[in-house]
Structures are given as structure tokens and as C-alpha cells.
Amino acid sequence: MVSVPPKIDLLPEHLIDQIKAGEVIERPGNLIKEILENAVDAGSTKIELSLKNNGLDLISLKDNGHGMRKDDLPLAFSRHATSKISRFEDLYKLRSFGFRGEALASIAAISKLHCISQTRESKTASEIKIEGGLTLYHGERQTGSGTHGTELQIQDLFFNTPARLKFIQSQQAEKTFIRKIIFAFILSRPEIEFQIKFDDADKDIYPARESLRERIEDVFPKAKETILHSERFYENNELTLFLIPGSFKAPVKLQNIFINGRYILDKQLHRVLSNALDATFGGDDFHYVAYFHLPPDTIDVNVHPNKTVIKCLEISKMISLLTSTVKELGSKRPVRESQIPVEAMPMPQAPTFFEGFQEAPTLQQERHQYNMEGLFSPHRLPVATEADLIWINQFFLKRVENIWMGVSAPKLVELFTKKKLEFPALTIPLLVSEPFPAKNVSKEVLHVLQQGGMEIEYLGADTLVLRGIPEWMNGFPLKGIVSLLLHQKNFSELEIIPEEWSQTTWEEMLLFFPIDELISKKIVVDLAALLREKLK
């Protein structure tokens, strides 16, 4: 029988809109980000946001921005319509948030939407109602002069695309993700008053402030005296950095970087900042908020659909600003009890990694016996160096007082990861989900990872998506490790790139285990043999 090629048809517009909506509006938090950006771009000085059921039942936003005219209102909910650009070159000189003209159209395609908007000079408000991409009403209503702004109500999100609902995470994970989005705006726009309400809880009000410092003090009212703050300039680049001790709690963990007021995700910048904090403050935990102000023509925000990944032409200058600013703040910090040298403080009883090397001679002699079996060698390193952690390929040398130890990094990560996954953990959401091939992934493995705190779901028959990670995994390079876990591969295949990890992470993993377990599992290795191999 001769096969007949299928006929190619153009998709209907409503189906195109629903498909695009799946790309732009992956979850309620993405939607909230888009409408908050529009409210900020509209010149609002007051924004009220109310949510029910984490936005699935209702998202209500009211602002006092410049509003929209009646004829413009339907265009706002049409694809590829925007007031932000008029020519291609404008993409590289953006001074606003939005420009693609797809967000509102995507929202209208998968919800029941009602919008009322009025310009300052108009005596009437424009009104539109859309359900599932179909306009039910477009007209005007009398309001009187002096009123201006936009009120947007979005109900029953994904009502006509119920398949999307199965990818929504747990209520707590969704609320955490939404709070991260909201606080990105609260922290970057102190001149705007924000009123935030979840379900039947009381409103949280953040009044308009004149400075970033005042807004941060609103978020951390008890930390006023301990906030570290510095501003530095280099050529046309400016950095304002705030450090808040991690002991002061916020609604979410705040480790935010902004470029020209835009919340961005840049692993390299976060890694540089984390390493600088470790080196300067000895591993103390901090919330941090970094504000970069760069010339608009030196950045490109078009490299990611959610506009959270930005290409910067002068990244080396930004890194230099970060490291020098952290060092400056380190010199300003007063000495506290936690900074008293370790020798002056009592040691706990349990023999963990570092403590084991300060124990009685009998235990030290026992470890020299391990050296004869090729497992461990507590020799002094024959070089003069100020560092206490040195990388040699996939191993690192760790100094405790004057003793150096060799550690197998892949084996340590494997032992730590698998041990941690045995217990439930608090899940933190990823702002950008990470896809993985689903082929040959067993349901049993998926269940174990989910029980351990990973939010992993099927995006399709052949693709899994990672939406959240256990809190202890924050700071891990995720792609390689999660791939090994999903496919049950040996961690010896894991390529460790030291610059992608903070020194604090390695020390925390070492401290998690007793020294005898590390020796028996051959995670602590023969340092002398390692050096001989290096010097060949």
C-alpha cells in the first residue's frame, strides 16, 4: 500500500495563541512578572496585587500608570503589538522591560480576562473582556476626569488548557517562586508603593521610598544596624551592593542581581559574588542585593524568552566591581564573636572531618596504617601558599592547620548527594526550568528524587523538566549531577569545574561526614601519590 503524505494545514489562530502561551506563561509566577513589568513601564507610582490560590483562581493588579486609550486596548492583547520599540535598533537600547508583544496575548488565550484602563486626559475608561482568546466585550464606561491607570483581573488560569495544570508545583513551591518574582520588583523599584495580598491574609504594604537602602530596611526592619552597603564606579559602570546577615529572615532567601533595574539570572555573576563572600567573610551566610547600572547599548536582553538572562559586553568590568566591592565591605565589618579564631572556641565531641585530625595520637597512627594501603597520607605540602584549598584535576587538597589532605571531589559529591536524598528536604523553585531527556529513566529513580525534594515532571513523552531543587542543592551545577542521578550513572563521569562551586559548599560536604567514613569509602585519597602523578 502506497503511503500518502499528510496534508499540511495552517494552525488556527486560537491554537497558535495557546501554544505560544505555553512558552511565555509556564506558570502563574511568569504571568505575574509580565504584568508587573507592564505596570512599571506605565509609570505607576502605586501597584496593588492580589492573588487567590497562588494566582490560579485570581490575579488582580491595579496601578496608577498612564493607562491605555480605547483603540489601543484590543491591540495590547494582540500578538506582536507593542509601544516599546519601532525599529530593530531599539532592541539594543531598551530602557523598558517589555518589547515582544506576546505576554498579554498569551495571558488572554488561557484565562478569563477583564481589563479597565483610563488615560489621564480622558473622562471615560476603556474596558475589554476576553475569554480563551475570544473578545466578548470592548467598550467604554463613565468614570470622570482625574482618574487614570489600569485594573486587570485574570481568573481561572489555564481553564482551557488543563494539561498545563499538571505541571504546576506544590502550593508552597509556587508561592515561593511568586514571592521571588514580587520581591524582585519591590527591591528594584523603591519609588513605587507596593501592596501585596495572598488569599485572605492581611496586605503587606511597602510604601514608596527615596532610596534603595530605605526599601531594603523595610524588608529587613530588624537588620538596620547590620546592613553593609557600598557604591562603586568604574568608567561608565556602577554597582550598588547591599549585604544582609543570613540570620535575619525574609519571606524568601534574597540573593538578587539587577542590571538597569531588571532582575537577571547569571550563574557566573552569582558564582563570583558567592566566592568573593566566602573568601572575605569566611563562609558566613548573607542575603545580598546587587544593583548594576550599565550603558543600555552594552547589554542585550534578547537572549532569553523571559528576559532574565542578559548578554553583557563588559562582563570583566562587572566582575571586577563585584570582587572589589565585597573586599571593601569586608574591611568595614566589625569583629563579632563568630569571628574569634577557632583555637579559642570549644570543639564539639563528634569526630567529623576537620576534628578527626586533632585527636589522640592512636587515631593518627591508625590513619598512617591506611597510608600503607594507599588510601590516605597526612603529609605537609612542600610549597608555601596562603590558600587552604587547592585544586588538582578532579581532586582538591584541603589544609587543616598545617596538615594537608587529598579529597576525591566526584566521590564526595556522590556520597553527599545520595545520603541527602534519603531524607525529605525543603524545595526551592528554579526561576528557569531545566529540561532533561526522559529516555531510560525508571519510575523508581524518579520517585526517589522527588521524595528527596526535587520537583521533576514529564513535559512530554521524551522530556523531563526540573522545576525545583532541595535547598541543600542550591549552589550545585545542576545539569551534570541531575543527569547522572536520573540515568543512574557513576559519578566518576562528573566533570568538576572548581569555579562553578563555592569553597563553602565543599567544606559543608566534608563536615557532614565522620572522617572514618570518608577514609573507608576512599574519598580521602593518597596525597603523596596524587602529587607524584602531578609532578611526572
Side-chain angles (χ1 to χ4, degrees):
M1 185 175 181
V2 178
S3 63
V4 179
K7 184 176 181 292
I8 298 175
D9 291 316
L10 289 173
L11 289 172
E13 284 296 318
H14 75 278
L15 186 54
I16 293 173
D17 287 340
Q18 289 179 13
I19 293 170
K20 294 297 293 184
E23 297 175 8
V24 179
I25 309 300
E26 190 180 13
R27 55 203 293 199
N30 301 129
L31 186 158
I32 292 165
K33 173 180 176 290
E34 297 285 353
I35 63 176
L36 283 172
E37 287 179 349
N38 284 338
V40 172
D41 283 345
S44 306
T45 59
K46 181 178 179 180
I47 297 175
E48 301 176 48
L49 179 66
S50 298
L51 306 174
K52 289 187 178 179
N53 190 20
N54 293 326
L56 291 175
D57 293 346
L58 173 69
I59 298 172
S60 174
L61 183 140
K62 184 177 181 180
D63 67 49
N64 64 349
H66 52 57
M68 289 176 280
R69 304 178 187 89
K70 180 186 175 184
D71 292 342
D72 289 340
L73 196 55
L75 290 173
F77 299 97
S78 301
R79 284 188 294 122
H80 310 308
T82 181
S83 62
K84 311 296 174 59
I85 61 172
S86 58
R87 55 180 184 158
F88 180 78
E89 289 77 7
D90 294 340
L91 288 173
Y92 298 94
K93 297 180 181 179
L94 280 170
R95 299 179 188 274
S96 64
F97 280 115
F99 59 89
R100 290 181 303 140
E102 291 181 355
L104 291 179
S106 297
I107 294 167
I110 54 174
S111 69
K112 299 174 182 177
L113 182 146
H114 182 202
C115 181
I116 301 171
S117 191
Q118 183 171 352
T119 60
R120 193 182 299 271
E121 65 275 7
S122 176
K123 294 182 180 180
T124 60
S126 306
E127 184 176 10
I128 194 168
K129 293 182 180 179
I130 305 174
E131 287 191 10
L134 179 64
T135 300
L136 303 180
Y137 173 78
H138 175 220
E140 291 182 318
R141 62 162 61 184
Q142 294 293 326
T143 57
S145 59
T147 303
H148 60 92
T150 299
E151 185 172 353
L152 188 63
Q153 289 197 340
I154 301 162
Q155 293 179 286
D156 298 337
L157 192 61
F158 304 123
F159 82 99
N160 58 345
T161 54
R164 292 295 312 155
L165 290 171
K166 68 181 180 181
F167 297 115
I168 300 299
Q169 299 186 51
S170 66
Q171 285 198 354
Q172 186 57 48
E174 287 297 326
K175 182 171 284 190
T176 300
F177 179 74
I178 289 168
R179 286 188 181 277
K180 280 182 177 289
I181 296 295
I182 292 173
F183 273 90
F185 287 90
I186 290 173
L187 290 170
S188 63
R189 299 290 169 169
E191 72 279 6
I192 299 176
E193 176 183 322
F194 287 91
Q195 297 186 13
I196 311 297
K197 180 177 173 63
F198 280 88
D199 300 310
D200 296 324
D202 293 336
K203 282 184 180 179
D204 291 326
I205 300 176
Y206 297 88
R209 299 300 189 188
E210 294 183 359
S211 69
L212 294 169
R213 170 100 191 200
E214 289 176 298
R215 176 53 58 83
I216 287 177
E217 289 178 353
D218 284 338
V219 178
F220 297 95
K222 296 181 180 179
K224 290 183 179 180
E225 304 302 319
T226 58
I227 294 174
L228 297 176
H229 166 224
S230 180
E231 296 181 21
R232 293 177 75 88
F233 304 85
Y234 183 65
E235 294 182 357
N236 292 322
N237 302 282
E238 176 185 346
L239 171 65
T240 301
L241 178 62
F242 293 91
L243 301 180
I244 306 96
S247 56
F248 294 95
K249 301 301 179 184
V252 289
K253 180 71 172 181
L254 295 176
Q255 293 183 333
N256 293 5
I257 296 177
F258 299 91
I259 295 180
N260 293 3
R262 188 188 298 273
Y263 176 58
I264 63 106
L265 296 173
D266 189 299
K267 291 182 180 179
Q268 183 180 11
L269 291 177
H270 279 287
R271 188 167 63 243
V272 166
L273 185 47
S274 176
N275 290 343
L277 289 171
D278 285 344
T280 304
F281 295 97
D284 285 0
D285 186 34
F286 284 98
H287 301 274
Y288 58 75
V289 189
Y291 302 89
F292 282 98
H293 185 74
L294 311 176
D297 57 356
T298 65
I299 62 174
D300 180 4
V301 301
N302 309 310
V303 297
H304 194 278
N306 287 330
K307 305 187 291 291
T308 53
V309 178
I310 292 179
K311 184 177 180 180
C312 302
L313 298 180
E314 299 185 325
I315 189 71
S316 60
K317 294 179 182 178
M318 298 170 68
I319 291 172
S320 177
L321 274 173
L322 274 177
T323 54
S324 61
T325 304
V326 170
K327 287 180 182 178
E328 179 198 347
L329 291 176
S331 66
K332 292 181 179 180
R333 192 184 196 194
V335 176
R336 299 175 291 106
E337 184 178 348
S338 62
Q339 292 174 295
I340 298 173
V342 175
E343 307 83 54
M345 302 178 70
M347 297 294 289
Q349 295 299 313
T352 57
F353 184 89
F354 298 137
E355 299 156 21
F357 291 94
Q358 301 173 30
E359 293 179 355
T362 53
L363 184 56
Q364 190 68 29
Q365 290 167 4
E366 183 181 335
R367 295 207 169 101
H368 277 291
Q369 294 172 5
Y370 278 114
N371 180 37
M372 296 178 68
E373 297 174 8
L375 300 178
F376 177 72
S377 182
H379 294 285
R380 298 176 185 273
L381 194 71
V383 294
T385 174
E386 293 300 317
D388 63 357
L389 193 149
I390 298 173
W391 282 92
I392 302 178
N393 298 327
Q394 298 294 287
F395 300 87
F396 65 87
L397 312 182
K398 175 64 187 170
R399 176 166 60 184
V400 177
E401 294 188 343
N402 289 322
I403 303 296
W404 285 88
M405 294 142 293
V407 182
S408 168
K411 288 184 178 180
L412 177 60
V413 175
E414 181 173 22
L415 180 64
F416 180 79
T417 300
K418 291 183 176 178
K419 183 74 73 174
K420 280 285 193 178
L421 285 172
E422 294 175 3
F423 306 97
L426 177 66
T427 298
I428 56 176
L430 299 176
L431 192 59
V432 178
S433 301
E434 193 79 61
F436 292 90
K439 189 177 181 181
N440 299 326
V441 175
S442 71
K443 292 182 179 179
E444 292 76 15
V445 168
L446 204 56
H447 178 72
V448 169
L449 298 184
Q450 290 168 332
Q451 289 290 104
M454 290 192 196
E455 293 274 358
I456 305 178
E457 298 169 344
Y458 279 94
L459 193 60
D462 301 321
T463 305
L464 288 163
V465 63
L466 177 67
R467 300 187 185 279
I469 57 173
E471 191 172 32
W472 55 266
M473 225 175 185
N474 195 20
F476 279 37
L478 298 176
K479 198 141 195 169
I481 291 175
V482 175
S483 182
L484 290 174
L485 290 169
L486 284 170
H487 298 94
Q488 296 181 282
K489 292 185 178 180
N490 195 305
F491 269 58
S492 61
E493 298 181 25
L494 181 64
E495 183 180 357
I496 304 289
I497 302 174
E499 292 79 12
E500 291 186 353
W501 303 70
S502 72
Q503 182 170 328
T504 303
T505 301
W506 293 109
E507 291 175 344
E508 287 176 353
M509 284 191 279
L510 285 170
L511 286 167
F512 188 75
F513 299 101
I515 180 62
D516 291 335
E517 183 174 1
L518 296 174
I519 292 173
S520 65
K521 297 260 199 279
K522 299 187 179 181
I523 291 168
V524 172
V525 298
D526 188 334
L527 177 56
L530 194 64
L531 288 174
R532 283 196 299 272
E533 183 67 26
K534 180 68 177 175
L535 296 173
K536 278 184 178 178

